[in-house]
Amino acid sequence: MYICVMYSSELIKGTLKTIVLNLLKDHGKMYGYEITQKVKDLTQDKIQITEGALYPTLHALEEHGDLTVEKVYIGRRVRKYYLLTDQGMETRSERVNELADFMKTMRFLLDLDVAKGHV
Amino acid sequence: MYICVMYSSELIKGTLKTIVLNLLKDHGKMYGYEITQKVKDLTQDKIQITEGALYPTLHALEEHGDLTVEKVYIGRRVRKYYLLTDQGMETRSERVNELADFMKTMRFLLDLDVAKGHV
DNA sequence: AAATATACATAAGAATATTATGTATATCCA
DNA sequence: TGGATATACATAATATTCTTATGTATATTT
């Protein structure tokens, strides 16, 4: 009912790891560029993950033991597939649950549960 | 059904202004310390706004023209009541709508709309 | 009288994003 | 066949927004 614009960047902040972990659970192994495109598609361009945010995040998740990497060469170009570890599955659950609970709290705090037209 | 713990700080990031603006719409003029307590109460300690985050935010909102201030002395102690301006009302609407839409997108992205037990 | 609560404020540091830049290969199409 | 665009990785400089620590001061409770 209104024009779709990207969300202001503050909102996405803090949810990137959760998005990545959940996507990997749903779609199996994925590579960085694929993740950015999948999120863009699934959200109709509302959430666009920048590479400058994604790659450091993937490296951090790997270092934390949540992801493992598989290098694959497509022709001469390297592609790094990321997979959830067992620990990554746990981290995902915790983060998704926490985010779900947080959003519930926010809906209450902002009176979004009552039916209303445009606020 | 599970123990309530404070949310990890990344999540709150980006929603503080929205919370403050919305609270002022619901409760009229409020002062900083009152805002921290009200949010703490309403969320059963799940969201605790720190003073280091709140006061700079209030100053920023004031500078942006969203809030005006009324100084009141309680005995010798100063208390600064903040009120929404007309522009603040608009900013609030925009931010609440954006956050509501963002949360809807996140629920879709994280498959939270389907009924399920503990994830 | 001491501890806690109220009430403001700012500075140093951490976390996490954006923007810009860099490197390189692959594909489309005119 | 050559230029634009897409694919695919990466990092550095910068911005934003928080936490934690610190500072000042008054009021209330025990």
Side-chain angles (χ1 to χ4, degrees):
Chain A
M1 201 58 70
Y2 58 88
I3 299 152
C4 288
V5 190
M6 251 193 78
Y7 301 121
S8 54
S9 56
E10 314 94 71
L11 291 181
I12 288 91
K13 205 166 274 196
T15 62
L16 181 54
K17 279 182 185 165
T18 311
I19 290 173
V20 169
L21 291 170
N22 202 68
L23 221 58
L24 285 172
K25 182 214 158 204
D26 285 347
H27 298 85
K29 66 180 182 182
M30 296 179 83
Y31 54 99
Y33 187 79
E34 188 184 11
I35 292 173
T36 63
Q37 299 307 306
K38 183 60 94 178
V39 171
K40 197 165 173 284
D41 287 353
L42 286 174
T43 64
Q44 285 133 58
D45 298 12
K46 286 183 189 172
I47 297 180
Q48 294 186 33
I49 299 178
T50 60
E51 297 173 296
L54 181 63
Y55 291 118
T57 293
L58 288 171
H59 302 160
L61 285 171
E62 188 194 351
E63 196 169 5
H64 187 257
D66 290 319
L67 304 181
T68 50
V69 188
E70 266 178 28
K71 276 192 190 179
V72 175
Y73 280 87
I74 307 297
R76 284 179 191 172
R77 196 157 54 191
V78 75
R79 187 184 278 177
K80 291 169 81 173
Y81 280 98
Y82 288 91
L83 296 98
L84 276 184
T85 61
D86 287 344
Q87 149 135 42
M89 287 291 287
E90 265 184 64
T91 305
R92 185 207 71 89
S93 280
E94 288 163 16
R95 281 188 170 266
V96 169
N97 282 330
E98 190 189 25
L99 183 54
D101 195 76
F102 174 71
M103 292 196 292
K104 201 173 142 196
T105 299
M106 285 302 294
R107 282 203 299 279
F108 168 72
L109 201 56
L110 301 181
D111 322 303
L112 296 176
D113 283 328
V114 278
K116 56 170 98 173
H118 38 94
V119 184
Chain B
M1 201 59 68
Y2 59 89
I3 299 151
C4 288
V5 189
M6 250 195 78
Y7 302 121
S8 56
S9 55
E10 313 94 71
L11 290 182
I12 289 89
K13 205 166 273 194
T15 61
L16 180 54
K17 278 183 186 166
T18 312
I19 291 173
V20 169
L21 291 171
N22 202 69
L23 220 57
L24 285 172
K25 182 215 158 205
D26 285 348
H27 298 84
K29 65 181 183 182
M30 295 179 84
Y31 55 98
Y33 187 78
E34 187 184 11
I35 292 173
T36 64
Q37 299 308 305
K38 182 61 94 179
V39 171
K40 197 165 174 282
D41 287 353
L42 286 173
T43 64
Q44 285 133 58
D45 297 14
K46 286 184 187 170
I47 298 180
Q48 293 184 33
I49 299 178
T50 59
E51 297 174 294
L54 181 63
Y55 291 117
T57 294
L58 288 172
H59 301 161
L61 286 171
E62 189 194 349
E63 197 168 6
H64 188 257
D66 290 320
L67 305 181
T68 49
V69 189
E70 267 178 28
K71 276 192 191 178
V72 175
Y73 279 86
I74 307 298
R76 285 178 191 172
R77 196 157 56 194
V78 74
R79 188 184 278 176
K80 291 168 82 175
Y81 280 99
Y82 287 91
L83 297 97
L84 276 184
T85 61
D86 288 344
Q87 150 135 42
M89 286 292 287
E90 265 185 64
T91 305
R92 186 207 71 90
S93 279
E94 288 164 16
R95 281 189 170 267
V96 169
N97 282 330
E98 189 188 28
L99 182 54
D101 195 77
F102 174 70
M103 292 196 293
K104 200 173 142 195
T105 299
M106 285 302 295
R107 282 203 299 279
F108 168 72
L109 200 56
L110 300 181
D111 323 301
L112 295 178
D113 283 330
V114 277
K116 58 170 97 172
H118 39 96
V119 184

